[in-house]
């Protein structure tokens, strides 16, 4: 191609085609590829070269397109994921391998991963784990834990794809091919061309008063369509996720309560908004508080919450104080964790349009019906006048439950009558999104001479930020879980959620339980060492068994399987102890240790109604449609729920056409959080399939074992008899709707009752190597045993475990969000492909009595034991305990030196 292009244009070869597009030569190539050349498979996660999602090949070399000026690509040959899969045999084999290994979860990092991998495959470099890690090291993934990606690259071949199967079969993701072929569309990919752009004006201070200048003049002078302030919100300028705690304004009214809080928003054509001068607002910084310790005596963030306490939680059983006083062996300690950023690679994004008197919003969300109701409240509209259409979600982990960009595009579209879009920058996302709650925990554990737990006392203070978000859920869930899955006859647990001038702390994989496990599991190790008992044996001695009460008095006849999880670790544990002892005898400056920890998690809401509904129907032509509203954020609900439904109906998965989440088209399947979808929506899908099957069999007057065939209509085969069932009518000729709500009861004043119908349990073992001089920690291996009740799809189980372990590694060793300081992905560190060791997943199937086919949820509890297992491994290697996370090299080195 010629190196020349018309003025104001750039020319290059894109996926084999010569293209010339209008573009500034200094524009980011990623922006030009997406907006001018239509290559939406090029994803943008940071615009700083940190995440690698925008990786493309330029003249065969992998580069971050966000770091290349468009002019530098003049005359170049550019290849993206979609073009490679369509044209390159290496990429086609790689895509098939990604499907076989389920190496794409949410899929937002997949384009960057696959493009980088194709460059490796083309180079003829010998494929080893080391060369794969080196080639893909510049691309971040927050979902998978990288292990399935490494396996897929090593196995890039034309091996047969995964086959069909119902419950228990490791079938491929039903939504997987768009992710690996470059056709998946996320929040920023679906807005109409020419849509107006919204940009929020945010506070630069932790707390500030503000005053606007002449907004009308600013709007007119710069050709804006609209400037939004709190005065423009037509409904109630408050939103939230917990009834009674809707306390967050869409736009601040007089004072901002955290850095990054929006006070206004500008709306206009993209070029105008990008070139705007400084917005006319004057800030007055006010005294602020960042920690709960300082907040108690500070100005109230909310007038109705004394001492800045949002809420408290409490569970008590037996007499913990007296039992502790009698216990011959007691250990105690103070532990803390910081803010943890969700770190999804897809920033928040939404677009909206007004359709008559209705709003239609496309967005990356975990909770479409909650979003609908929140938008309706802000807009002063009935809920049925708002439609939420979830896009693919590039990671969520809890934070995409809350409203983010949706209110801005909704209001702007309503007032202008034009399509509107908004995408957060990475800095905006880090500033304004919810975080994992920082915790300050004091805990005490007492045992008898035989090493049996007699009492546990827990006191946890959680920084809930400026607004409630999911803080009440954390405060109430933690006291139930802080005992761990152990027999604890005397127990007292208090939690307090305190407001500070920071971004709201909300839902993040575990809802506060990982923070409590950091304390409990380290104290269990300390107590075992004090008693001279093997640390795994100590846990086995105290694990909760079926028929024994939890700390809330709940008794499970079946499904409490922590003993099986711990037992599954025993062979690896014994071998690791021997290996570490041999290694340490041969090395002076580097030592290895092995750590173990347990965890448990109650699936679904705490002692609250928590229903899901599923709808299915068969058309006159015999098409089977499943209206499945559980948003798949990478965890696999589209696949798992379809497997459950197909099994219950008695048809192959391939016979089912999936209609994904859409508040106009699918019933409310509840939010994707709290490890609830497999358990709760799965039960609804099972009931729906059974109901539809019963209707069909009645129509054909056949026996219960009849086979349903939907090949060209509806035929029932009952032994040697074949019955054709005529179908007629518009819409569905046959239809079923079913719901499920877990059986729970409210907790009394002492926290006694039935908070969850199902608990998932887990035990993990970590082998770590520590450099005694530098304090650096290298993880050698993780073994993770997880009770899932029944593995609906074993490959999905492995993927969830590996991804959760990776996030637990981040919590343990590197992650801490510091407001105002770590607002990008090179200052805020998440695990890379080189940080996650081999992970052995041991699937335990206890067969829960409430779950569909015995299945439980999994997403949360695969993270809970990881951090304490890592910390216990460090302590075993060095003798040094890290009480205040993360265990960065400086903290580890300091703790080691303190022992000298």
């Amino acid at each position: 191609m010629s190196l020349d292009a018309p003025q104001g244009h750039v020319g290059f070869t894109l996926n084999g085609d010569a293209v010339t597009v209008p573009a500034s030569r200094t524009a980011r190539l990623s922006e030009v590829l997406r907006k001018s050349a239509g290559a939406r498979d090029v994803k943008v996660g940071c615009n700083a070269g940190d995440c690698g999602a925008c990786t493309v090949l330029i003249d065969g070399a992998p580069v971050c397109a966000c770091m290349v000026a468009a002019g530098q690509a003049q005359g170049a040959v550019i290849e993206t994921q979609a073009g490679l899969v369509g044209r390159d045999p290496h990429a086609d084999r790689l895509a098939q391998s990604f499907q076989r290994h389920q190496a794409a979860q949410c899929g937002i990092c997949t384009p960057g991963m696959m493009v980088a991998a194709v460059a490796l495959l083309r180079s003829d470099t010998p494929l080893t784990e080391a060369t794969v890690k080196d080639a893909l090291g510049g691309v971040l993934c927050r979902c998978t834990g990288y292990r399935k990606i490494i396996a897929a690259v090593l196995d890039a071949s034309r091996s047969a794809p995964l086959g069909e199967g119902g419950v228990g079969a490791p079938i491929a993701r039903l939504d997987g091919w768009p992710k690996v072929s470059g056709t998946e569309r996320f929040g920023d990919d679906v807005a109409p061309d020419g849509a107006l752009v919204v940009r929020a004006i945010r506070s630069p201070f932790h707390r500030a008063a503000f005053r606007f200048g002449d907004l009308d003049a600013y709007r007119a002078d710069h050709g804006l369509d609209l400037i939004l302030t709190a005065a423009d919100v037509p409904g109630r300028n408050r939103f939230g996720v917990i009834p009674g705690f809707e306390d967050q304004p869409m736009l601040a009214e007089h004072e901002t309560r955290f850095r990054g809080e929006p006070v206004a928003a500008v709306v206009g054509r993209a070029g105008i908004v990008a070139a705007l001068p400084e917005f006319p607002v004057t800030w007055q910084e006010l005294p602020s508080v960042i920690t709960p310790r300082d907040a108690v005596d500070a100005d109230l963030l909310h007038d109705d919450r004394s001492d800045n306490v949002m809420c408290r939680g409490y569970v008590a059983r037996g007499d913990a104080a007296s039992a502790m006083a009698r216990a011959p062996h007691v250990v105690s300690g103070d532990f803390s964790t910081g803010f943890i950023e969700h770190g999804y690679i897809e920033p928040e994004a939404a677009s909206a349009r007004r359709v008559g008197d209705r709003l239609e919003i496309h967005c990356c969300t975990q909770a479409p019906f909650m979003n609908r109701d929140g938008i309706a409240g802000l807009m002063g509209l009935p809920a049925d006048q708002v439609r939420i259409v979830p896009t693919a979600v590039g990671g969520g982990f809890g934070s995409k439950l809350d409203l983010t960009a949706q209110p801005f595009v909704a209001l702007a579209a309503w007032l202008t009558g034009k399509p509107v879009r908004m995408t957060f920058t990475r800095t905006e996302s880090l500033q304004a999104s919810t975080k994992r709650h920082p915790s300050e925990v004091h805990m005490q554990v007492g045992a008898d001479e035989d090493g049996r737990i007699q009492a546990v006392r827990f006191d946890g203070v959680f920084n809930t930020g400026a607004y409630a978000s999911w803080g009440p859920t954390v405060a109430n869930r933690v006291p139930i879980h802080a005992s761990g899955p152990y027999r604890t006859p005397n127990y007292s647990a208090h939690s307090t959620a305190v407001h500070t001038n920071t971004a709201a702390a909300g839902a993040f994989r575990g809802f506060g339980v990982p923070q409590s496990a950091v304390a409990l599991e380290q104290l269990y190790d300390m107590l075992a060492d004090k008693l001279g008992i093997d640390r795994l044996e100590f846990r086995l001695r105290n694990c909760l068994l079926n028929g024994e009460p939890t700390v809330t008095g709940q008794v499970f006849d079946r499904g409490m399987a922590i003993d099986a999880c711990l037992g599954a670790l025993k062979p690896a544990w014994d071998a690791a102890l021997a290996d570490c002892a041999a290694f340490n005898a041969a090395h002076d400056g580097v030592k290895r240790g092995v750590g173990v920890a347990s965890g448990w998690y109650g699936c679904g809401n705490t002692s609250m109604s928590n229903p899901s509904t599923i709808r299915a129907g068969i058309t006159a032509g015999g098409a089977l449609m499943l209206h499945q509203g559980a948003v798949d954020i990478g965890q696999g609900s589209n696949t798992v729920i379809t497997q459950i439904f197909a099994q219950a109906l008695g048809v192959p998965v391939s016979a089912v056409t999936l209609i994904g989440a859409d508040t106009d088209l699918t019933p409310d399947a509840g939010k994707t959080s709290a490890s609830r979808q497999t358990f709760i929506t799965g039960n609804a899908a099972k009931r729906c399939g059974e109901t539809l099957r019963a209707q069909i069999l009645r129509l054909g007057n056949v026996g219960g074992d009849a086979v349903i065939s939907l090949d060209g209509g509806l035929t029932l085969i009952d032994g040697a008899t074949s019955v054709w069932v005529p179908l007629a009518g518009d819409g569905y000729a046959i239809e079923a709707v079913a719901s499920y709500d877990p059986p729970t009861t409210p907790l009394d004043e002492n926290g006694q009752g039935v908070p969850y119908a199902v608990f998932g349990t887990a035990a993990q073992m970590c082998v770590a190597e520590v450099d005694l001089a530098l304090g650096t920690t290298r993880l050698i291996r993780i073994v993770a045993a997880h009770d899932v009740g029944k593995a609906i799809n074993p490959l999905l189980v492995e993927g969830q475990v590996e991804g959760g372990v990776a996030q637990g590694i981040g919590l343990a060793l590197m992650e801490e969000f510091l407001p105002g300081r770590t607002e990008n992905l090179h200052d805020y560190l998440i695990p890379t492909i080189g940080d996650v060791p081999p992970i052995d997943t041991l699937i335990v199937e206890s067969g829960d009595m409430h779950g569909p086919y015995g299945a439980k949820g999994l997403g949360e509890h695969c993270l809970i034991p990881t951090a304490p297992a890592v910390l216990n491994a460090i302590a075993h290697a060095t003798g040094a305990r890290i009480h205040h996370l993360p265990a960065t090299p400086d903290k580890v080195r300091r703790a080691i030196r303190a022992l000298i």
Side-chain angles (χ1 to χ4, degrees):
M1 151 172 283
S2 168
L3 295 180
D4 298 321
Q7 184 87 18
H9 289 68
V10 174
F12 43 78
T13 299
L14 177 61
N15 296 325
D17 296 324
V19 298
T20 300
V21 295
S24 165
R25 297 182 67 84
T26 58
R28 296 180 189 274
L29 179 61
S30 53
E31 179 181 349
V32 172
L33 290 173
R34 286 177 56 80
K35 297 180 180 178
S36 301
R40 298 291 173 86
D41 54 318
V42 178
K43 306 304 180 187
V44 175
C46 65
N47 270 337
D50 296 325
C51 75
C54 65
T55 299
V56 300
L57 299 183
I58 299 182
D59 295 331
V63 299
C64 288
C66 72
M67 300 301 288
V68 176
Q72 292 177 283
Q74 175 66 40
V77 174
I78 301 174
E79 296 168 284
T80 71
Q81 180 199 22
L84 288 168
V85 173
R87 300 172 64 248
D88 185 290
H90 290 297
D92 177 64
R93 290 193 294 269
L94 184 65
Q96 299 290 347
S97 187
F98 263 60
Q99 272 287 79
R100 283 195 309 279
H101 290 273
Q102 294 190 359
Q105 288 192 16
C106 82
I108 193 69
C109 77
T110 306
M113 289 289 184
M114 288 184 59
V115 169
V118 168
L120 172 66
L121 295 174
R122 284 178 175 177
S123 72
D124 292 327
T125 300
L127 290 182
T128 66
E129 181 164 323
T131 59
V132 173
K133 285 182 175 181
D134 185 58
L136 275 59
V139 186
L140 295 176
C141 175
R142 193 59 156 167
C143 294
T144 67
Y146 301 102
R147 303 307 306 180
K148 290 284 186 281
I149 294 172
I150 294 170
V153 178
L154 292 173
D155 183 39
S157 65
R158 293 190 181 276
S159 298
L162 296 173
E164 274 270 10
V167 168
I171 71 170
R173 287 176 179 269
L174 301 183
D175 55 2
W177 188 250
K179 302 176 192 295
V180 302
S181 65
T183 60
E184 186 68 284
R185 293 296 175 256
F186 295 86
D188 191 42
D189 297 334
V190 301
D193 291 337
L196 299 178
V197 170
V198 184
R199 190 182 81 197
I201 308 301
R202 300 181 182 275
S203 171
F205 301 108
H206 297 302
R207 181 185 175 208
F210 60 93
R211 179 172 51 83
F212 295 125
D214 190 337
L215 299 185
D216 290 336
Y218 185 84
R219 173 185 171 186
D221 290 347
H222 301 292
L224 291 169
D225 286 68
L226 199 63
I227 295 178
L228 301 174
T229 68
D232 296 302
V233 179
R236 181 170 180 254
N237 186 27
R238 292 290 183 275
F239 66 89
V241 292
I242 305 292
F245 289 90
E246 301 93 340
D247 58 0
Q248 186 165 356
M250 172 185 164
L251 292 163
E253 295 172 357
H254 307 291
E255 179 183 304
T256 60
R257 295 182 173 96
F258 70 92
R259 175 180 166 85
E261 182 165 16
V263 298
V266 294
V267 184
R269 295 193 299 277
I272 289 175
V273 171
L276 283 174
E278 187 175 352
F279 188 79
V281 59
T282 302
W283 304 98
Q284 179 188 354
E285 186 175 7
L286 299 173
S288 60
V289 291
I290 304 300
T291 67
R293 201 177 300 273
D294 295 332
V296 174
D297 297 320
D299 294 342
L300 294 181
L301 276 78
H302 302 274
D303 291 340
D304 59 343
R305 297 173 189 170
S306 60
D307 299 325
N308 281 315
V309 173
M310 183 191 64
C311 66
R312 302 178 190 274
Y314 178 60
V315 170
R317 185 166 183 80
D319 187 342
S322 296
M324 194 72 71
R326 294 192 304 269
H329 300 283
V330 176
V331 294
S332 63
D334 295 296
F335 304 86
S336 68
T337 62
F339 282 113
I340 304 294
E341 162 64 23
H342 295 75
Y344 31 73
I345 305 303
E346 177 203 27
E348 297 80 353
S351 59
R353 62 176 185 147
R354 182 171 179 172
V355 183
D357 288 331
R358 299 190 78 214
L359 273 169
E360 183 178 296
I361 302 166
H362 295 252
C363 57
C364 48
T365 179
Q366 298 176 234
F369 280 86
M370 290 178 65
N371 283 188
R372 181 200 66 176
D373 295 346
I375 293 294
L378 288 165
M379 295 298 300
L381 296 172
D384 62 7
Q385 285 183 230
V386 179
R387 179 185 184 186
I388 302 293
V389 184
T391 63
V393 181
F397 318 114
S399 190
K400 287 179 183 173
L401 293 163
D402 296 68
L403 292 173
T404 55
Q406 300 94 320
F408 295 97
V409 296
L411 182 54
W414 185 262
L415 294 177
T416 64
K418 301 176 183 178
V420 180
R421 69 188 300 162
M422 184 182 199
T423 302
F424 282 19
T425 66
R426 178 54 61 183
T427 296
E428 282 184 296
S429 179
L430 280 156
Q431 283 182 348
S433 65
T434 59
K435 306 286 183 282
R436 185 182 296 283
H437 285 73
S439 64
E440 297 176 11
V441 170
H442 178 76
M443 200 167 191
Q444 189 178 32
V445 181
D448 66 15
E449 295 288 358
D450 295 323
R452 301 193 183 279
I453 297 301
Q454 299 300 298
V456 171
R457 301 177 74 178
F458 173 92
D459 187 10
V461 177
F462 294 84
N463 184 343
T464 203
Y467 299 107
S469 183
W470 293 92
T473 300
V474 170
N476 286 299
R477 183 178 280 271
V478 168
I480 298 168
H481 289 77
S483 67
Y486 301 111
R487 190 185 309 106
T488 310
N490 299 284
Y491 180 73
S492 173
H494 297 262
S495 64
T496 307
V498 180
H499 284 298
T500 63
N501 292 116
T502 60
F508 190 171
R509 208 170 193 170
F511 283 96
V513 181
Q515 295 94 304
S516 65
V518 164
L520 177 73
E521 292 293 333
Q522 291 203 79
L523 291 174
Y524 261 49
D525 258 29
M526 293 163 64
L527 198 48
D529 288 344
K530 186 176 183 179
L531 288 160
I533 301 173
D534 175 88
R535 291 168 290 146
L536 179 64
E537 167 59 28
F538 182 79
R539 288 168 171 82
L540 282 165
R541 194 171 296 185
N542 288 287
C543 64
L544 192 66
L545 302 176
N546 289 318
E548 297 178 339
T550 70
V551 292
T552 71
Q554 185 175 4
V555 176
F556 288 90
D557 296 325
R558 183 182 177 194
M560 186 55 63
I562 186 59
D563 56 334
C565 293
L566 288 164
L569 294 182
K570 186 73 164 61
W573 173 259
D574 290 341
L577 287 174
D579 291 345
C580 288
F583 180 91
N584 293 340
H587 296 80
D588 293 327
V590 178
K591 297 294 183 182
R592 288 185 177 178
V594 56
V596 65
S598 301
W600 66 339
Y601 192 83
C603 299
N605 289 355
T606 305
S607 292
M608 292 174 59
S609 178
N610 191 19
S612 284
T613 302
I614 288 286
R615 177 189 178 207
I618 302 176
T619 68
L624 172 61
M625 317 298 287
L626 176 63
H627 296 252
Q628 196 286 98
V631 176
D632 194 323
I633 61 172
Q635 86 281 20
S637 59
N638 281 336
T639 304
V640 164
I641 290 167
T642 305
Q643 285 181 270
I644 292 170
F645 170 78
Q647 180 93 6
L649 180 58
V651 299
V653 168
S654 58
V656 182
T657 297
L658 186 65
I659 297 175
D662 179 331
T663 57
D664 273 13
L665 301 179
T666 55
D668 187 1
K671 61 191 184 297
T672 294
S673 73
S675 301
R676 62 177 301 282
Q677 292 296 13
T678 295
F679 165 47
I680 299 175
T681 303
N683 263 320
K686 182 173 182 286
R687 289 184 174 185
C688 185
E690 292 169 342
T691 301
L692 190 60
R693 180 176 177 83
Q695 289 185 46
I696 292 170
L697 298 186
R698 281 197 301 270
L699 286 173
N701 193 27
V702 295
D705 295 331
V707 175
I708 297 173
S709 171
L710 294 167
D711 187 10
L714 176 57
T715 303
L716 305 178
I717 303 166
D718 189 4
T721 303
S722 180
V723 179
W724 178 72
V725 179
L727 302 173
D730 297 329
Y732 292 137
I734 310 172
E735 180 178 353
V737 177
S739 299
Y740 178 77
D741 195 3
T744 62
T745 66
L747 303 184
D748 66 16
E749 67 275 8
N750 289 316
Q752 300 298 293
V754 179
Y756 313 103
V758 169
F759 277 87
T761 53
Q764 293 180 6
M765 185 198 87
C766 171
V767 179
E769 181 179 289
V770 182
D771 187 305
L772 301 182
L774 300 178
T776 54
T777 300
R778 183 172 73 93
L779 303 185
I780 306 299
R781 181 188 180 200
I782 301 280
V783 183
H786 287 257
D787 170 36
V788 298
K790 170 67 178 178
I792 304 296
N793 187 315
L795 265 180
L796 286 172
V797 169
E798 292 175 6
Q800 282 294 286
V801 171
E802 291 170 7
V805 165
Q807 291 186 355
I809 290 169
L811 171 64
L813 296 180
M814 65 191 70
E815 295 189 45
E816 183 176 19
F817 176 77
L818 303 173
R821 293 173 55 189
T822 56
E823 296 175 349
N824 53 63
L825 291 178
H826 53 264
D827 290 321
Y828 185 88
L829 302 179
I830 67 174
T832 69
I833 199 169
D835 294 315
V836 182
I839 300 168
D840 299 326
T841 300
L842 309 178
I843 298 175
V844 175
E845 296 181 297
S846 66
D848 187 81
M849 58 187 176
H850 291 294
Y853 301 105
K856 303 179 181 183
L858 172 65
E860 320 283 327
H861 65 266
C862 49
L863 155 70
I864 292 165
T866 309
V870 171
L871 297 171
N872 285 338
I874 293 172
H876 182 234
T878 66
R881 287 233 161 253
I882 307 300
H883 288 240
H884 307 291
L885 271 56
T888 50
D890 60 310
K891 291 182 184 177
V892 174
R893 183 174 184 271
R894 189 181 309 124
I896 293 170
R897 290 175 66 86
L899 299 175
I900 300 174

